[in-house]
Amino acid sequence: MSVAPATPTVPTVPAGPVAAATPVVAVLRSEWIKIRSVRASWGSLLAILLVTTALTVLAYGTIGESEAANGGNRVKEAFYTMNFAQVAALAYGATAVSSEYREGALRVSLAAVPRRGLLHCCKTAVIAVTALLVSVPTTFAAFLVGQAFLGEHAIGLSHPGVLQACVGGAVYLVLMALFAAGVTVLLRSAVGALGILVPFVLVGSFVLGDGAGGIGAYLPDRAGSHFFRETSPGPLGPWEGLAVTALWAAAALVAGWWAMRRRDA
């Protein structure tokens, strides 16, 4: 009587949180590799810190002490270079996404990750985390480096509103990067997105700031900039303004997600 050979048992991986999390971790890792390997994205990310710090040294090393002696809103003046940091944040958000739309790279990404929502969410998460890791030292460096040139007119982190501005300002830069990322997915072009967003932030918001029946206070950059003032000049406080900026970023990301789902690669 012949006995059939025993069939080796193959261990099965139970379905559960670990099994479900594995693809997400893999996609997150791949998105991190993309950002790290694309020179434009990496350069834009570092520019948030390096350009802001360099401009702080240039501005405060030349006229900083004389301007501080004239008084004014000391917290607002301490974070003057955030005007340039937000442009670098916009550039980072746009370039971190636009590489998908060159030479059919998106088709390759979707072949590896067919779930477009997962791809979009993981890319958004990586952009947010990397931007935050750079934005936090950027706001603290902008403040501390600038104050080093002011002598007796310098203020410290304990000055009312400063620590809040450092933390809230970092979150604001992240939101601006995500805002640009969403618009870039919608337009499929970093040039197109930055061609709209940079003039909108630097010119359009300034023109509409005190007009249009007060609607200018709800523009993304003006709403988020309340963190850089000792007192809020408009109807929004610092946290309310940051929430408005977050809504702009969320709307852009949802629009980008919708466009990615509806369009061919």
Side-chain angles (χ1 to χ4, degrees), residues 166-194:
C166 289
V167 176
V171 177
Y172 167 72
L173 292 178
V174 174
L175 292 175
M176 293 301 280
L178 294 178
F179 182 38
V183 174
T184 304
V185 175
L186 186 63
L187 300 180
R188 292 189 169 194
S189 168
V191 175
L194 293 176

Side-chain angles (χ1 to χ4, degrees), residues 14-265:
V18 176
T22 303
V24 177
V25 173
V27 177
L28 288 171
R29 185 182 297 114
S30 69
E31 291 303 320
W32 160 243
I33 293 172
K34 288 178 188 177
I35 289 178
R36 187 180 60 188
S37 18
V38 176
R39 186 175 301 175
S41 301
W42 193 241
S44 300
L45 180 61
L46 291 178
I48 298 175
L49 173 61
L50 300 180
V51 172
T52 303
T53 305
L55 289 174
T56 300
V57 172
L58 179 62
Y60 281 81
T62 53
I63 60 172
E65 190 168 3
S66 60
E67 288 294 322
N70 295 328
N73 191 319
R74 303 177 73 180
V75 175
K76 178 183 177 182
E77 293 171 357
F79 292 95
Y80 166 74
T81 52
M82 289 298 103
N83 292 302
F84 305 98
Q86 68 181 353
V87 175
L90 290 172
Y92 171 59
T95 55
V97 170
S98 63
S99 59
E100 294 283 6
Y101 300 100
R102 292 200 300 264
E103 301 178 359
L106 183 59
R107 288 194 294 271
V108 178
S109 296
L110 291 176
V113 187
R115 294 167 57 189
R116 300 188 180 206
L118 176 62
L119 178 65
H120 185 63
C121 289
C122 288
K123 186 179 292 291
T124 299
V126 172
I127 291 173
V129 171
T130 51
L132 183 63
L133 291 176
V134 174
S135 296
V136 171
T138 296
T139 53
F140 278 93
F143 174 75
L144 295 174
V145 171
Q147 297 307 303
F149 290 95
L150 298 187
E152 62 180 4
H153 303 290
I155 58 177
L157 289 172
S158 59
H159 187 85
V162 170
L163 193 58
Q164 177 179 263
C166 289
V167 176
V171 177
Y172 167 72
L173 292 178
V174 174
L175 292 175
M176 293 301 280
L178 294 178
F179 182 38
V183 174
T184 304
V185 175
L186 186 63
L187 300 180
R188 292 189 169 194
S189 168
V191 175
L194 293 176
I196 294 173
L197 293 178
V198 173
F200 175 65
V201 168
L202 297 182
V203 180
S205 181
F206 176 77
V207 172
L208 295 174
D210 299 320
I215 196 174
Y218 296 90
L219 296 176
D221 58 308
R222 289 185 67 88
S225 68
H226 291 313
F227 269 105
F228 307 124
R229 302 172 184 266
E230 292 185 23
T231 58
S232 298
L236 300 174
W239 294 108
E240 292 87 351
L242 193 66
V244 170
T245 305
L247 288 176
W248 279 89
L253 291 171
V254 170
W257 167 80
W258 176 86
M260 180 179 285
R261 284 177 57 89
R262 299 279 296 181
R263 295 172 180 168
D264 294 332

